[in-house]
Amino acid sequence: MNETAFDEPLFASLKPGLTSFCYRMLGSMDDADDAVQETSIRVWQSWSTFRQDSSFKTWVYRIASNLCLDKLRQSKRRALPVDLFDPAVAIVEPRDTLPDSAWIWPSPDFGGNPEDRLVRRDTLQLCFIALLQTLPPRQRAVLILKDVFEWSSKQIAETLAMSPAAVNSALQRARETMDRAQLRSDELSSMDVQPEQQLLSRYVEAFEQFDIAALVALFHEEGCMSMPPFEMWIRGKEDLSAFYSLTRWHCEGSRLVPITVNGGYPALAQYMPGKEGSGLVPWGIHVIETKENQILHVQNFIHTPLFSRFGLPERIDQ
């Protein structure tokens, strides 16, 4: 084989699954895209060394896995605000933030690859992505390839340069760690059940009219709201009402556009009035988790680059 014979369509067929794998490993679509792009470069550069002693897919995933492991050695664990901090005691405008690299961010769909559609959607829940980040990187890769992609221990061993026995040992430790993990985001999550469409419609109506009483009435008694990259998050109807009153000036006049995140879960993109006074501009992506047909947790991801990633416009009419 030589470099000119590099099979781009073959690599392209693996790209949705690779992106899905890298997103679970890294917790960020930006990082996942970078890893897949670097994988494609390394595959092209190393094409002449591929000896077919393993499948092309295994070889490509070996390169992608090594890239992810290298990235994770140089970075801190990504998380969600509710897993790092206690709820706010004083209700003030949020100010303290952590860098984008500290947070888990939602993802759009990875593509129409039939194999990717078979991958369990529950493993794209934001709380599951947060749980994955608690694992050591190699254990994380083993668990994703085994429990999410349902690869054999032999194939995982070839991919990660481990023995099958080491794979099984790492898998056992990873599962034990996941079972022991006490993450608040996991307790607050109900993404296995889609929100009732009527509840989402009532949320949109109350938010766009910025009817605080109607908005807060949709929340569970223990309902909460978090806002990455802000450290602050709010819990309880009284504090939610105080916070919405405090930030009315910022959100009044907003519009919410329906989208889907993380494997097809319903979400809403918030556009707020722009400073120029003409049109609405991106602000945040609301991911709403429910319990007993009430809102348990609104994760408002305030990260405007997400809008272009989700194919959303830079501005909409008021």
Side-chain angles (χ1 to χ4, degrees), residues 22 108 283:
C22 292
W283 176 245

mmCIF file with all atom_site columns, all heavy atoms in Angstrom, residues 22 108 283:
data_model
loop_
_atom_site.group_PDB
_atom_site.id
_atom_site.type_symbol
_atom_site.label_atom_id
_atom_site.label_alt_id
_atom_site.label_comp_id
_atom_site.label_asym_id
_atom_site.label_entity_id
_atom_site.label_seq_id
_atom_site.pdbx_PDB_ins_code
_atom_site.Cartn_x
_atom_site.Cartn_y
_atom_site.Cartn_z
_atom_site.occupancy
_atom_site.B_iso_or_equiv
_atom_site.pdbx_formal_charge
_atom_site.auth_seq_id
_atom_site.auth_comp_id
_atom_site.auth_asym_id
_atom_site.auth_atom_id
_atom_site.pdbx_PDB_model_num
ATOM 1  N N   . CYS A 1 22  ? -15.109 9.575  20.347 1.00 0.00 ? 22  CYS A N   1
ATOM 2  C CA  . CYS A 1 22  ? -14.243 10.639 20.872 1.00 0.00 ? 22  CYS A CA  1
ATOM 3  C C   . CYS A 1 22  ? -15.031 11.607 21.750 1.00 0.00 ? 22  CYS A C   1
ATOM 4  O O   . CYS A 1 22  ? -14.504 12.128 22.739 1.00 0.00 ? 22  CYS A O   1
ATOM 5  C CB  . CYS A 1 22  ? -13.558 11.379 19.726 1.00 0.00 ? 22  CYS A CB  1
ATOM 6  S SG  . CYS A 1 22  ? -12.342 10.381 18.824 1.00 0.00 ? 22  CYS A SG  1
ATOM 7  N N   . PRO A 1 108 ? -24.544 17.747 18.867 1.00 0.00 ? 108 PRO A N   1
ATOM 8  C CA  . PRO A 1 108 ? -25.546 17.443 17.843 1.00 0.00 ? 108 PRO A CA  1
ATOM 9  C C   . PRO A 1 108 ? -25.430 15.984 17.440 1.00 0.00 ? 108 PRO A C   1
ATOM 10 O O   . PRO A 1 108 ? -24.622 15.227 17.970 1.00 0.00 ? 108 PRO A O   1
ATOM 11 C CB  . PRO A 1 108 ? -25.147 18.375 16.689 1.00 0.00 ? 108 PRO A CB  1
ATOM 12 C CG  . PRO A 1 108 ? -23.660 18.520 16.842 1.00 0.00 ? 108 PRO A CG  1
ATOM 13 C CD  . PRO A 1 108 ? -23.375 18.450 18.318 1.00 0.00 ? 108 PRO A CD  1
ATOM 14 N N   . TRP A 1 283 ? -27.835 32.944 22.747 1.00 0.00 ? 283 TRP A N   1
ATOM 15 C CA  . TRP A 1 283 ? -27.440 33.048 24.149 1.00 0.00 ? 283 TRP A CA  1
ATOM 16 C C   . TRP A 1 283 ? -27.127 31.674 24.736 1.00 0.00 ? 283 TRP A C   1
ATOM 17 O O   . TRP A 1 283 ? -25.998 31.381 25.077 1.00 0.00 ? 283 TRP A O   1
ATOM 18 C CB  . TRP A 1 283 ? -28.517 33.756 24.970 1.00 0.00 ? 283 TRP A CB  1
ATOM 19 C CG  . TRP A 1 283 ? -28.202 33.798 26.435 1.00 0.00 ? 283 TRP A CG  1
ATOM 20 C CD1 . TRP A 1 283 ? -28.884 33.202 27.451 1.00 0.00 ? 283 TRP A CD1 1
ATOM 21 C CD2 . TRP A 1 283 ? -27.082 34.462 27.055 1.00 0.00 ? 283 TRP A CD2 1
ATOM 22 N NE1 . TRP A 1 283 ? -28.281 33.442 28.666 1.00 0.00 ? 283 TRP A NE1 1
ATOM 23 C CE2 . TRP A 1 283 ? -27.171 34.219 28.450 1.00 0.00 ? 283 TRP A CE2 1
ATOM 24 C CE3 . TRP A 1 283 ? -26.021 35.236 26.570 1.00 0.00 ? 283 TRP A CE3 1
ATOM 25 C CZ2 . TRP A 1 283 ? -26.223 34.719 29.359 1.00 0.00 ? 283 TRP A CZ2 1
ATOM 26 C CZ3 . TRP A 1 283 ? -25.083 35.728 27.477 1.00 0.00 ? 283 TRP A CZ3 1
ATOM 27 C CH2 . TRP A 1 283 ? -25.187 35.477 28.839 1.00 0.00 ? 283 TRP A CH2 1
#
